[in-house]
Amino acid sequence: MKHLLGIEPLDKATIITLLDRADAIHEGQKPSDVLAGRTVVNLFMEASTCTCTSFEIAVKRLRADVVNVSEAFSSSKKGETLLDTSRNIDAMKPAVIVLRHGSSGSPAMIAKHVSAAVVNAGDGTHEHPTQALLDCGTIRRHKKRMDGVTVTIVGDILHSRVARSNIHALGKLGATVRVAGPRSLLPSGVEEMGALVYDRVEPALEGADVIMVLRLQHERMAGGYVPSLRDYSRFFGINAKNVRAAKHDAIVMHPGPINRGVELSSDVADGARSVILDQVAYGVSVRMAVLEKVAAK
Ligand code: NCD
């Protein structure tokens, strides 16, 4: 595996190998020294606190050097193209470039032109593979299986790279995937990806093992997708009442950042079913497993 550009091209065995390795690291196994003394560049051309920090900590735990480049301080502000920025960085010989970018397909594009390994940290509305891996790993750790697990993804599916990557990953691992949201936020073709579509939240939650709540992505909406945040929250917000439709031991997940009181109420976000901080903690181990894999010589 030279790059990690998305979940779609991966097979089940590769996903399981990555999750097994992440589990071992998470339980204290010593990481390999494949990246020790080498350099990873985090090129984040879009806002991020959690993902960027998670990659940075992962790199440091692999004893590599990390350089963070954020859009605000990059030469894209002076008109440099992403391709030129990436080639310039690549000329300084990093082992890995981790790219987050607002344009779908940009990691695949730079991967064709650089000799470093490229890891997609979220590209537009396309994919966010490390998020899906950490989500699947967290589900597997809590449910002890993936086959036959029912996962309900609620929210802005249309704009969500997290949803796309998870639909691919969960499907490959044998889970049943349901998606729920207002019709205007459900992309056409989501059924062909293997998901069951619901336009009401309660039936989608019934009997679910996992509730994966997504953020309403204001920055990707040209407008008019939902009448108001209050309406959205009333019909699709996850709260202490509707969560009871799911199994009694269902877990609640969210990739962050949360809009509290919009897609998820605070009592559920901070309640006993929430595994949100487990996701964050496990994310570092997943990113270590991915970086080890792409950097292997
Ligand atoms: C997500 C993202 O940026 O795609 N966040 C994340 O990486 N943890 C989801 C989001 O922004 O809603």
Side-chain angles (χ1 to χ4, degrees):
M1 194 168 99
K2 163 89 189 155
H3 307 289
L4 177 65
L5 303 174
I7 298 290
E8 194 175 6
L10 302 185
D11 58 19
K12 179 177 177 179
T14 307
I15 297 174
I16 288 177
T17 307
L18 284 168
L19 296 184
D20 288 347
R21 180 67 188 140
D23 274 356
I25 291 172
H26 207 62
E27 276 147 28
Q29 205 175 91
K30 213 171 151 256
S32 85
D33 56 6
V34 64
L35 264 172
R38 298 168 79 196
T39 303
V40 175
V41 175
N42 267 340
L43 180 55
F44 273 62
M45 309 300 272
E46 214 189 60
S48 163
T49 337
C50 187
T51 306
C52 188
T53 309
S54 179
F55 270 107
E56 180 168 353
I57 291 175
V59 172
K60 288 183 170 156
R61 289 191 187 157
L62 292 167
R63 288 176 292 119
D65 292 318
V66 61
V67 177
N68 291 319
V69 181
S70 71
E71 195 202 6
F73 299 104
S74 80
S75 291
S76 70
K77 290 270 179 243
K78 299 181 183 169
E80 188 174 64
T81 64
L82 174 65
L83 188 52
D84 281 334
T85 305
S86 311
R87 279 184 166 147
N88 290 338
I89 289 172
D90 194 53
M92 297 181 237
K93 306 261 177 286
V96 185
I97 299 174
V98 178
L99 176 65
R100 163 162 293 196
H101 199 280
S103 300
S104 302
S106 44
M109 187 273 286
I110 73 158
K112 291 201 188 98
H113 298 277
V114 297
S115 44
V118 176
V119 174
N120 179 2
D123 61 332
T125 57
H126 175 230
E127 282 228 37
H128 192 350
T130 57
Q131 181 70 45
L133 291 171
L134 79 87
D135 290 340
C136 289
T138 304
I139 294 171
R140 200 174 70 153
R141 292 175 69 77
H142 280 271
K143 297 288 158 198
K144 310 283 176 242
R145 66 192 168 102
M146 290 302 287
D147 219 25
V149 169
T150 299
V151 181
T152 302
I153 309 178
V154 189
D156 182 358
I157 315 290
L158 180 64
H159 299 94
S160 177
R161 53 198 177 205
V162 176
R164 289 179 63 83
S165 287
N166 264 303
I167 293 169
H168 288 304
L170 291 163
K172 286 173 201 256
L173 294 174
T176 301
V177 185
R178 300 175 180 169
V179 297
R183 279 273 156 201
S184 57
L185 291 175
L186 294 171
S188 60
V190 70
E191 288 100 337
E192 282 84 87
M193 289 174 74
L196 305 165
V197 178
Y198 293 76
D199 55 12
R200 285 188 46 235
V201 80
E202 285 79 7
L205 292 179
E206 222 164 278
D209 298 288
V210 178
I211 307 168
M212 194 181 279
V213 188
L214 300 177
R215 183 174 66 89
L216 262 195
Q217 305 212 350
H218 322 276
E219 73 276 26
R220 289 186 223 290
M221 287 199 208
Y225 288 91
V226 286
S228 72
L229 290 185
R230 202 186 315 151
D231 280 326
Y232 179 82
S233 167
R234 198 163 116 219
F235 293 108
F236 292 98
I238 297 297
N239 53 49
K241 188 161 169 261
N242 60 18
V243 95
R244 284 193 224 116
K247 284 198 182 142
H248 70 94
D249 61 348
I251 54 172
V252 174
M253 309 177 75
H254 193 301
I258 306 172
N259 288 315
R260 285 175 181 265
V262 179
E263 71 267 5
L264 185 59
S265 67
S266 274
D267 49 355
V268 178
D270 305 323
R273 293 169 183 267
S274 171
V275 299
I276 295 171
L277 294 177
D278 293 352
Q279 289 173 266
V280 177
Y282 188 73
V284 176
S285 305
V286 158
R287 289 173 176 126
M288 288 171 75
V290 165
L291 290 167
E292 268 186 348
K293 183 100 176 167
V294 297
K297 288 189 196 125

